Amino acid sequence: MKKKVAISACLMGQHCRYDGRHNLQQQIIDRYGAENLLPLCPEVLGGLPTPRVPAEMQGNKICTQSGTDVTAAFMAGADEALKQAEAAGVQAAILKAKSPSCGCGLIYDGSFSGRLVPGDGIFTQKLKAKGIKVTTELDYII
């Protein structure tokens, strides 16, 4: 049996992105097998609605484009997603690039201008702190 891999729920085709859409990555599902993937959306697990106002990291906070501080919801969702990942014995994760929750290596800079800066999303930070390897869907694009 293959190891269990956490994956951003939007990459599995779940309509949980901020805009109500998904980012289905069928090639990842085909490679690992759906039964070996644990879909998680920290933002939904934190109680945020779909759709929702876009949010980006601004220093140690996460704020929406309209200025609302949603850090507590992002943190709660990341904690719950980590709890579920650990319970499933996840050893690796494939998460949505650039996201304030799931981004790995590069995230949006907080100005809502599309600029990227080095950094990791909240959930990615928590996974890495537990020694869980994190990549993004961009690592699977041929």
Side-chain angles (χ1 to χ4, degrees):
M1 182 175 130
K2 292 183 180 180
K3 67 181 177 184
K4 197 72 152 179
V5 176
I7 187 169
S8 292
C10 63
L11 300 178
M12 289 283 292
Q14 292 183 23
H15 293 264
C16 57
R17 280 174 36 122
Y18 74 92
D19 59 6
R21 297 172 58 193
H22 63 78
N23 293 96
L24 178 63
Q25 298 293 313
Q26 190 63 49
Q27 75 278 14
I28 295 172
I29 298 168
D30 293 344
R31 178 176 178 173
Y32 286 91
E35 67 280 3
N36 298 309
L37 296 168
L38 175 66
L40 298 167
C41 179
E43 295 169 27
V44 171
L45 289 171
L48 294 170
T50 303
R52 56 191 165 273
V53 178
E56 293 185 4
M57 291 185 77
Q58 297 175 345
N60 291 327
K61 297 190 317 183
I62 301 173
C63 295
T64 66
Q65 195 168 19
S66 59
T68 303
D69 184 340
V70 289
T71 306
F74 272 76
M75 292 298 288
D79 287 341
E80 178 58 28
L82 178 63
K83 180 179 169 185
Q84 290 184 25
E86 288 183 313
V90 162
Q91 297 173 0
I94 305 165
L95 302 181
K96 180 68 190 100
K98 307 172 192 170
S99 157
S101 290
C102 298
C104 181
L106 289 173
I107 55 173
Y108 291 111
D109 72 356
S111 68
F112 299 93
S113 64
R115 285 192 302 260
L116 297 170
V117 294
D120 292 328
I122 298 296
F123 182 41
T124 297
Q125 291 174 27
K126 290 181 178 290
L127 289 170
K128 285 182 171 183
K130 293 289 186 171
I132 297 172
K133 180 181 176 6
V134 181
T135 59
T136 73
E137 80 281 7
L138 300 179
D139 296 312
Y140 295 85
I141 295 175
I142 300 172

